[in-house]
């Protein structure tokens, strides 16, 4: 049990007083937002942003990749990227099912914005631990996701502060993550007391309500008074905590009506759809952070073909997200991070697949990120290289360090302005600050 | 072949498995003496702490790798660092600093050909203060010392257990000094029981009882006694809704009032025989086993290989026209659904089969069978094994077999013969849900086995990650590199046990298919190798027998049921530096002792000869009647901080809320004939309301958020709208909501005052609603009842004003979405006089508003 959590729990429900948040809207911080895109299952950065090619390994394990070294692309300031992992797939009849069959457009369009962090040592190759480490900076089981830390600091009263489509969304009780299952239901939930929520409904007409709004208001007030009294009367801390949480969310305006106004008329599916909801939530100032996810990266068999499908969905979705951010004028307010559980082995197994490997990469762009750069690195066998702590270039000098998620999250906390947040400080990170994001 | 890292290694680093390391670290005199003196000291420490796993010659055992030429044996520095950080497993603080240096020097001198180097140890200089002497004070000091040296590495320094050994708090052998002494003398340490007999065993037993039982259990009892319990009537309502999705009926309540606890036990026993209870058990177990992933379509059937089960799609061979709407198409999809879903849930159905037939729950692992209904048995090609129950009025007369009739079957592989079943663990569905790969070698399945059935998270094994994690250069790191073997020595023997089952869940005995990997630990459990004779092809069954004999098995069952029934996760293990008397440690120890007692009772209640022990119903009854489920308040003067987790108030899961609506209103919440809270599709609310799909979403949201609050409001508005007219349509004695009222009753008279006659009826009906919807037995003069009556008066008054003001509400009728013009049962149009449309005095809408209040109240959306 995390002591901080325990003390917070007791403090918040101290038997003498309860601080309840209830009342008019307090929207998320309108100035800064964060999106965490999780490639579920463990992606292969050598098939994307840390390419090696088909040079045979000296230890006779075969090549790291099947594609030719000459097919590796490069944009901007040394950002190298792999060709599409399965060229046969790209030209096969299955191409109609795939969003993209090349990474060229993505890297060309984003080059000036993109920061590639290579050679991150995840110190694990377990899915659960890796996912937690990637998005919290630590393998400790009670470590909350960075999104939860930022949301509790920036928008503690917003009921939708931390939107999540999966990935790592553990909050250690700091804030309630909101699970999004599709945008089609939002209109009904935006107007929960109305019978008619159709897009063409006249919202000024009281007849759209099940009961007259005055009556709903009377009921709400009575229920709120009752809950306040229950909270005051109960002597059971566990019950008081539960009541207080409900009191908080019942009394807050979720502002879903603003969110649905910002959503496109015809929402997309997949990662594109997740991106649309996140950006609409930011535009309408109802959310602070969002988790987006794409799965299918656990390619123990037929690696090139299966990574192709998942990378196509991922890169297409992230590319679309980038364009949405720009078209919404949010490029100075939204930071995007793309990562995964870990990487995959720098050789193929007997099933032409790749197993788990503790070295991986991250992509970052957006507000606060100095782009057109690559930091960190790996050798020809895709082993992490130590880096100079100032330049972040591979180095073997005395002070050189091995990049970990602890370093990255130190930098992210500083970027998000929560480095000294009292709550965030309760969740320790290993590794010091490095100027990773510029 | 070199093996790299596997999917379980990581966690070395978590560090705090038992989190309770209170033992004083054993340290030799700091930095003093020569290497030979250090080595001499190291030898005595090695014998006491290391030998049991690594062997007297350092050549290893099933419980620990060889130390001869080990990867970290290149220098005192590297080896002592490793020992300081990781050894003994589960209690790494026991030997740090000079202690680790001394042991390293001994290992290098005795088992490796080099002599210790002169590198200084990398740790900070050890604390110059001598170690604190044992505190004594009623504690057997000799026993404490012996326990620390011989037992703590497996059972934890404070007896709370590690992956190597179970908790000793309230342990099964802890009922008396004699029993525990004998147990220790005869069995401990594992594999070397001669090491501690006589006084040694007696001292340790006394220490265990003093330190981990008398004191802890006494404190636990005191803490739990501070919890005030709900009365039996309230408890029965809560249990009935929780376990069977219904309210207690009138004769049950009257019986309870008359006969008290005896009736309670009887009614609860009956509830635990209802079909809804078995469905609830499957729901609880699925949260852990995640088998519902394969429901629907052919998701389960497609996991079978055609060569293994050529009948798997038997319904395809019937020549049914499935393209055109009609009875044949309906039959085709019905048959497919019965076969697929029975197969998908076979592990869950096995558990309910055991419950229904009062068999010991140990059979969920040890049973040499799986269960099937006629339809899934036919897919497996074994429908002839059983005589299947038929329905008197089946949906499709050609297929009269009851889909709910699940019976034991044994599967056969065309090439390798009869499956050596081990209950859930060899279910093809289970093996597919927790898959493996050629390089993972069943390690994932091993981890899941520990987690699900042994109350052990191997990811929390003590240890640290190597600085260079990409160890592909050691000849065999999982055996030779202690950084790896610390986890693999626990995980791999169990992983190897699954060797007869392929990544697709097929029975493929390695004795006939080319053997198993030789570069990993071979089959075994808790340091004991599996005897090959008679077990080679049925090793999972051997494992099952070991698991059910392990005290952690019953504890894992107890925790599963506790979590499912109360909605509360067990209290996490406190961090190591939390003091013994700190509230959170008291809370944890009290609950752990409570769990252990339930686990002991599960194993011992009933008659083992008659097979009536291991009955889960006893455990469920104990949980329902226990302090956590029934907590309603605390005694004055109670240590509030230590009760932070006392209670079981939970945000209802979408499934539970769905059932509660049906139970209380007689109506499901639906749209387009789909149950909204169960609907997993895009416009469904199941995931949004915190549910899971057992596939990509495998955890529940337990705290409300903005969307959940909006969903509650919408549910309350819509269901109140639908329920009022429908309930008033029924005869008063049939009504769930308004048995005391007539639709024309008006609380306010023509002068706007409360009508005293109607007031009496309204008060009675509010009492009824308070009990039915909130579970609160309120008196007529309860302030909350009176407040609600006043709210009703205010709502009706405002409603009458709205009618007077004109506009939409002038019409004096219900909203067309809320009126009743068709018979709710038949759907036929009602004659005008039976329709419920008019509401001239705004009273029906007043009740509708009251229902909105009730359905969005904390006490409705929580239980």
């Amino acid at each position: 049990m995390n002591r901080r959590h325990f003390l917070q729990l007791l403090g918040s429900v101290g038997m003498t007083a309860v601080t309840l948040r209830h009342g008019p809207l307090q929207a998320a911080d309108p100035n800064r937002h964060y999106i965490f895109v999780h490639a579920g299952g463990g992606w292969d950065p050598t098939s994307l942003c840390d390419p090696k090619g088909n040079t045979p390994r000296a230890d006779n394990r075969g090549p790291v990749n099947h594609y030719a070294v000459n097919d590796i692309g490069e944009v901007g300031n040394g950002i190298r990227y792999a060709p599409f992992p399965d060229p046969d797939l790209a030209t096969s009849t299955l191409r109609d099912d795939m969003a993209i069959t090349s990474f060229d457009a993505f890297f060309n369009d984003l080059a000036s914005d993109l920061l590639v962090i290579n050679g991150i040592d995840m110190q694990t190759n377990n899915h659960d631990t890796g996912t937690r480490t990637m998005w919290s900076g630590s393998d400790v089981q009670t470590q909350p996701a960075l999104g939860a830390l930022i949301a509790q600091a920036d928008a503690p009263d917003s009921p939708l502060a931390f939107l999540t489509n999966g990935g790592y969304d553990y909050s250690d009780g700091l804030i309630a993550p909101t699970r999004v299952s599709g945008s089609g239901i939002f209109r009904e939930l935006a107007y929960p007391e109305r019978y008619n929520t159709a897009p063409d409904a006249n919202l000024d007409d009281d007849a759209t309500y099940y009961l007259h709004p005055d009556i709903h208001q009377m009921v709400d007030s009575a229920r709120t008074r009752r809950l306040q009294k229950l909270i005051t009367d109960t002597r059971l801390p566990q019950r008081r905590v539960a009541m207080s949480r409900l009191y908080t969310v019942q009394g807050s305006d979720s502002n879903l009506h603003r969110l649905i106004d910002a959503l496109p008329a015809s929402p997309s599916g997949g990662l594109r759809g997740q991106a649309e909801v996140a950006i609409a939530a930011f535009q309408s100032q109802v959310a602070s952070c969002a988790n987006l996810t794409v799965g299918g990266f656990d390619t123990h068999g037929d690696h090139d073909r299966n990574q192709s499908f998942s990378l196509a969905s991922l890169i297409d979705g992230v590319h679309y997200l980038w364009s949405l951010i720009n078209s919404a004028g949010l490029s100075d307010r939204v930071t995007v991070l793309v990562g995964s559980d870990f990487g995959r082995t720098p050789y193929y197994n007997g099933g032409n697949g790749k197993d788990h490997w503790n070295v991986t990469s991250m992509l970052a762009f957006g507000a606060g990120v100095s782009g057109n750069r690559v930091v960190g690195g790996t050798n020809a066998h895709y082993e992490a290289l130590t880096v100079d702590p100032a330049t972040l270039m591979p180095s073997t000098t005395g002070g050189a360090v091995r990049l970990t998620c602890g370093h990255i999250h130190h930098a992210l906390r500083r970027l998000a302005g929560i480095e000294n947040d009292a709550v965030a400080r309760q969740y320790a990170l290993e590794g010091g600050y490095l100027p990773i994001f510029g | 072949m070199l093996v790299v890292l596997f999917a379980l290694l990581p966690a070395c680093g978590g560090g705090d498995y038992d989190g309770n390391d209170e033992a004083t670290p054993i340290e030799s005199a700091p930095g003093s003496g020569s290497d030979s003196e250090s080595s001499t000291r190291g030898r005595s420490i090695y014998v006491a702490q290391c030998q049991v796993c690594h062997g007297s010659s350092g050549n290893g055992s099933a419980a620990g790798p060889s130390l001869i030429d080990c990867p970290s044996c290149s220098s005192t520095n590297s080896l002592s660092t490793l020992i300081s950080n990781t050894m003994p497993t589960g209690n790494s603080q026991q030997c740090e600093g000079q202690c680790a240096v001394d042991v390293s020097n001994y290992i290098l001198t005795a088992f490796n050909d080099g002599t210790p180097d002169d590198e200084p140890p990398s740790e900070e200089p050890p604390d110059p203060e001598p170690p604190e002497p044992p505190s004594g004070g009623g504690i057997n000091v000799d026993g404490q010392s012996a326990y620390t040296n011989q037992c703590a590495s497996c059972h934890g320094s404070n007896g709370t257990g590690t992956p190597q050994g179970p908790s000793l708090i309230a342990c099964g052998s802890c009922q008396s000094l004699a029993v525990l002494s004998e147990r220790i003398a005869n069995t401990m340490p594992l594999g070397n029981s001669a090491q501690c007999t006589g006084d040694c065993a007696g001292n340790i037993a006394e220490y265990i009882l003093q330190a981990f039982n008398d004191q802890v259990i006494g404190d636990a009892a005191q803490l739990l006694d501070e919890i005030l319990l709900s009365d039996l009537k309230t408890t029965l309502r809560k249990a009935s809704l929780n376990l069977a999705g219904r309210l207690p009926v009138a004769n049950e309540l009257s019986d309870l009032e008359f006969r008290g606890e005896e009736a309670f036990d009887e009614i609860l026993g009956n509830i635990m025989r209802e079909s809804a209870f078995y469905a609830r058990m499957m729901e609880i177990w699925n949260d852990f086993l995640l088998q519902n992933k394969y429901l629907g379509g052919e998701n389960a059937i497609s996991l079978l290989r055609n060569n293994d089960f050529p009948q798997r799609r038997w319904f395809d061979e019937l020549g049914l026209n499935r393209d055109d709407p009609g009875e044949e198409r309906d039959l085709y999809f019905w048959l497919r659904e019965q076969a697929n879903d029975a197969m998908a849930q076979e592990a869950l159905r096995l558990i309910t089969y055991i419950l229904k037939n009062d068999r010991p729950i140990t059979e969920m692992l040890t049973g040499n069978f799986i269960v099937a209904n006629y339809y899934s048995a036919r897919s497996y090609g074994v429908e002839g094994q059983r005589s299947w129950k038929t329905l008197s009025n089946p949906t499709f007369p050609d297929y009269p077999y009851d889909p709910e009739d699940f019976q034991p079957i044994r599967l056969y592989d065309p090439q390798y013969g009869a499956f050596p079943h081990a209950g859930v663990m060899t279910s093809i569905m289970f093996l597919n849900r927790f898959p493996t790969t050629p390089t993972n070698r069943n390690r994932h399945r091993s981890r899941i086995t520990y987690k699900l059935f042994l109350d052990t998270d191997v990811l929390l094994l003590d240890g640290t990650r190597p600085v260079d994690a990409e160890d592909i250069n050691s000849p065999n790191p999982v055996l030779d590199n202690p950084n790896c073997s610390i986890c693999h020595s626990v995980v791999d023997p169990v992983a190897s046990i699954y060797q007869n089952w392929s990544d697709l869940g097929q029975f493929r005995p390695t004795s006939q298919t080319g053997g198993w990997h030789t570069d990993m630990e071979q089959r075994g459990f808790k340091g004991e190798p599996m005897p090959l004779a008679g077990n080679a092809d049925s090793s999972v069954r051997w494992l099952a027998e070991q698991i059910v004999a392990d005290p952690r098995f019953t504890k894992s069952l107890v925790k599963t049921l506790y979590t499912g029934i109360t909605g509360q996760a067990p209290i996490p293990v406190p961090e190591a530096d939390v003091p013994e008397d700190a509230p959170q440690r008291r809370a944890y120890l009290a609950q752990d002792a409570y769990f252990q007692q339930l686990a002991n009772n599960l194993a011992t209640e009933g008659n083992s000869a008659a097979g009536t022990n291991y009955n889960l119903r006893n455990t469920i009854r104990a949980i329902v009647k226990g302090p956590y489920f029934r907590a309603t308040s605390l005694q004055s003067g109670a240590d509030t901080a230590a009760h932070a987790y006392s209670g079981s108030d939970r945000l209802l899961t979408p499934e539970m809320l769905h059932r509660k609506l049906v139970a209380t209103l007689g109506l499901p919440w639906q749209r387009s004939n789909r149950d909204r809270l169960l609907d997993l599709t895009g416009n469904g609310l199941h995931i949004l309301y915190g549910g899971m799909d057992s596939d990509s979403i495998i955890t529940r949201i337990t705290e409300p958020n903005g969307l959940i609050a909006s969903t509650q409001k919408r549910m309350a508005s819509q269901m109140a709208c639908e329920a009022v007219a429908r309930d008033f349509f029924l005869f008063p004695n049939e009504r769930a909501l308004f048995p005391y009222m007539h639709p024309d009753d008006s609380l306010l008279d023509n002068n706007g005052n409360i009508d005293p006659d109607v007031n009496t009826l309204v008060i009675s009906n509010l009492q009824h609603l308070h009990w039915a919807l909130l579970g609160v037995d309120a008196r007529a003069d309860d302030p909350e009842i009176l407040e609600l009556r006043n709210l009703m008066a205010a709502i009706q008054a405002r409603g009458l004003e709205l009618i007077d003001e004109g506009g939409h509400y002038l019409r004096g009728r219900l909203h067309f979405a809320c009126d009743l013009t068709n018979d709710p049962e038949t759907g036929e149009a009602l004659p005008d006089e039976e329709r419920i449309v008019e509401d001239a005095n705004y009273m029906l809408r007043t009740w509708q508003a009251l229902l909105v209040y009730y359905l969005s109240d904390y006490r409705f959306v929580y239980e």
Side-chain angles (χ1 to χ4, degrees), chain B residues 490-719:
Chain B
V490 174
V491 171
D492 283 10
V494 170
S496 290
I497 280 175
Y498 278 100
Q499 64 183 258
N500 297 320
W501 300 88
S502 78
D503 51 345
L504 300 173
Q506 300 159 295
F507 177 48
R508 295 289 182 268
T510 51
S511 63
Q512 301 175 60
T513 57
W516 182 244
H517 307 280
T518 57
D519 55 354
M520 66 185 287
E521 296 224 28
Q522 296 304 299
R523 289 176 280 194
F525 183 62
K526 288 204 300 190
E528 296 289 330
M530 183 193 80
L532 283 175
N535 299 316
D537 291 349
S538 56
S539 46
V540 179
R541 206 151 72 205
W542 177 84
L543 175 65
E545 296 290 350
Q546 310 309 305
I547 289 175
V548 301
D550 189 302
R552 291 173 294 179
F553 171 64
T554 47
K555 200 167 178 181
S556 75
L557 296 178
V558 166
K559 286 187 175 180
T560 297
L561 289 172
Y562 173 86
T563 303
I565 293 171
T566 67
Q568 315 296 314
I571 301 173
V573 181
E575 292 167 357
D577 59 347
V578 173
E580 266 185 33
D581 58 352
Q584 62 190 111
R585 186 172 295 285
R586 290 188 68 212
Y588 167 77
L589 290 174
Q591 190 183 67
D592 194 59
Y594 165 76
F595 287 149
Q596 191 61 54
Q597 190 60 53
L598 292 182
N600 293 343
N601 292 345
L602 175 59
T604 56
E605 284 181 356
N607 184 331
S608 59
T612 57
N613 59 344
Y614 291 103
N615 188 333
L616 278 190
R617 282 193 184 81
N618 294 336
T619 305
I620 295 169
R621 182 183 296 108
I623 290 172
V624 163
K625 294 174 72 175
Y628 291 97
F629 186 78
R630 295 176 68 182
T632 188
S633 189
L634 299 176
Q635 287 184 354
S636 60
D639 180 358
T640 307
H643 285 288
Y645 293 87
S646 298
S648 62
D649 280 22
R650 70 189 300 174
L651 176 70
L652 292 178
T653 65
E655 297 95 325
M656 295 175 84
L657 182 57
H658 167 79
R659 289 194 292 267
K660 190 171 184 178
L661 286 168
V662 174
T664 54
L665 306 183
L667 280 174
W669 187 24
Q670 291 185 326
R671 187 169 78 171
S672 303
N673 290 322
R674 299 179 78 98
D675 293 319
R676 307 203 70 178
L677 289 164
L678 307 182
D679 187 357
L680 285 163
T681 62
N683 284 330
L685 294 166
H686 186 75
I687 299 300
L688 183 147
Y689 203 76
M692 44 190 266
D693 62 10
S694 304
D695 184 6
S696 59
I697 301 172
I698 56 173
T699 57
R700 294 182 180 276
I701 283 184
T702 57
E703 296 172 13
N705 56 47
L707 288 186
I708 286 177
S710 292
T711 304
Q712 291 168 350
K713 281 186 181 177
R714 176 141 207 96
M715 175 274 293
S717 296
Q718 187 174 337
M719 294 307 290

Side-chain angles (χ1 to χ4, degrees), chain A residues 193-195 208-211, chain B residues 714 717-718 721 815 818 848:
Chain A
E193 293 155 346
R194 293 178 193 259
Y195 168 76
T208 58
Y209 284 86
Y210 285 104
L211 291 163
Chain B
R714 176 141 207 96
S717 296
Q718 187 174 337
C721 162
H815 192 293
C818 311
Q848 183 181 332

Side-chain angles (χ1 to χ4, degrees), chain B residues 833-846:
Chain B
E833 64 273 18
E834 292 185 25
R835 295 184 174 192
I836 300 180
V837 174
E838 301 301 322
D839 187 28
N841 58 20
Y842 209 82
M843 194 60 196
L844 293 180
R845 278 168 287 185
T846 298

Side-chain angles (χ1 to χ4, degrees), chain B residues 303-591:
Chain B
L303 299 174
L304 306 185
R305 300 296 94 191
N306 199 49
N307 288 341
D308 300 337
F309 300 101
Q311 274 188 219
R312 60 181 184 150
R313 291 196 171 94
W314 59 273
F315 40 81
D316 279 356
E317 312 302 322
L318 301 175
L320 297 170
N321 178 354
R322 61 185 115 148
D323 297 324
D324 302 319
E327 189 168 333
E328 286 199 10
R329 187 175 190 271
D330 292 346
L331 173 60
Y332 172 83
F333 285 107
W334 187 84
L335 292 173
R336 191 180 77 167
E337 180 184 356
Q338 305 315 315
N340 183 82
D341 290 0
M343 191 178 291
Q345 294 186 312
E346 64 184 17
L348 307 174
R349 296 281 185 175
L350 171 60
I351 294 168
T352 57
Y353 171 82
I354 290 168
L355 274 166
K356 283 179 183 174
N357 292 279
D358 295 310
R359 301 170 77 114
I361 193 62
T362 48
E363 288 190 354
M364 70 180 282
L365 302 187
T366 61
N368 189 9
F369 58 84
I370 191 65
V371 297
N373 64 10
Y374 166 81
Y375 307 93
S376 60
R378 191 160 169 180
S379 284
Y380 282 131
V382 295
E383 72 276 19
Q385 287 184 7
R386 292 281 166 182
S387 175
W388 304 94
K389 179 182 165 190
T390 56
L391 297 169
S392 57
N393 187 24
T395 308
F396 297 98
D398 289 345
Y399 292 91
Y401 306 108
D402 183 357
E404 290 298 311
D405 177 28
F406 281 81
Q407 301 191 46
I409 55 165
R410 291 193 65 187
L411 303 184
Y412 289 84
D413 183 88
Q415 186 173 357
Y416 300 106
F419 277 33
H421 289 283
V424 167
M425 291 198 293
T426 52
S427 156
I428 297 172
M429 300 298 115
F430 177 85
L431 291 168
N432 273 277
R433 188 62 189 84
F434 302 107
T436 189
T437 66
T439 45
N440 177 263
R441 302 181 182 183
N442 291 320
R443 283 154 176 149
H444 178 53
R445 288 171 177 167
S446 172
R447 177 170 80 87
I448 292 299
T449 300
Y450 275 103
K451 182 180 175 186
L452 293 178
F453 309 125
L454 285 161
D455 186 30
T456 299
D457 185 352
V458 295
L459 293 179
L460 296 180
L461 279 169
D462 216 351
T464 57
R465 291 282 302 165
V467 173
D468 180 357
E470 310 109 332
D471 181 5
I472 58 174
N473 298 316
S474 297
N476 192 340
V478 297
L479 289 174
D480 303 333
N481 185 341
N483 285 313
C484 307
S485 63
I486 190 172
C487 296
H488 283 267
S489 64
V490 174
V491 171
D492 283 10
V494 170
S496 290
I497 280 175
Y498 278 100
Q499 64 183 258
N500 297 320
W501 300 88
S502 78
D503 51 345
L504 300 173
Q506 300 159 295
F507 177 48
R508 295 289 182 268
T510 51
S511 63
Q512 301 175 60
T513 57
W516 182 244
H517 307 280
T518 57
D519 55 354
M520 66 185 287
E521 296 224 28
Q522 296 304 299
R523 289 176 280 194
F525 183 62
K526 288 204 300 190
E528 296 289 330
M530 183 193 80
L532 283 175
N535 299 316
D537 291 349
S538 56
S539 46
V540 179
R541 206 151 72 205
W542 177 84
L543 175 65
E545 296 290 350
Q546 310 309 305
I547 289 175
V548 301
D550 189 302
R552 291 173 294 179
F553 171 64
T554 47
K555 200 167 178 181
S556 75
L557 296 178
V558 166
K559 286 187 175 180
T560 297
L561 289 172
Y562 173 86
T563 303
I565 293 171
T566 67
Q568 315 296 314
I571 301 173
V573 181
E575 292 167 357
D577 59 347
V578 173
E580 266 185 33
D581 58 352
Q584 62 190 111
R585 186 172 295 285
R586 290 188 68 212
Y588 167 77
L589 290 174
Q591 190 183 67

Side-chain angles (χ1 to χ4, degrees), chain A residues 211-239:
Chain A
L211 291 163
H212 191 276
D214 287 0
I215 306 298
H216 280 294
Q217 182 58 47
M218 293 169 79
V219 169
D220 277 351
S221 298
R223 188 188 55 228
T224 300
R225 284 196 306 274
R226 171 52 47 185
L227 188 50
Q228 281 176 321
K229 185 165 188 331
L230 290 173
I231 293 169
T232 304
D233 289 348
T234 186
R235 298 198 66 243
L236 209 56
Q238 190 264 352
R239 179 169 292 168

Side-chain angles (χ1 to χ4, degrees), chain A residues 138-208:
Chain A
S138 165
D139 67 356
V140 173
Q141 291 201 321
T142 52
Q143 192 87 351
L146 179 62
L149 278 181
I150 295 173
Q152 66 82 28
D154 285 355
D157 296 329
S158 173
L160 304 183
F162 184 23
L163 290 175
T164 173
N165 293 273
Y168 184 67
D169 55 20
Y170 178 71
S171 73
D172 202 26
L174 298 175
I175 199 160
T178 299
R179 193 175 280 168
V180 184
S181 58
S183 56
I185 200 71
F186 284 166
R187 179 166 287 277
E188 264 194 273
L189 300 183
Y191 305 106
E193 293 155 346
R194 293 178 193 259
Y195 168 76
N196 187 355
T197 60
D200 59 352
N202 176 9
L203 298 178
D204 293 329
D205 182 0
D206 291 344
T208 58

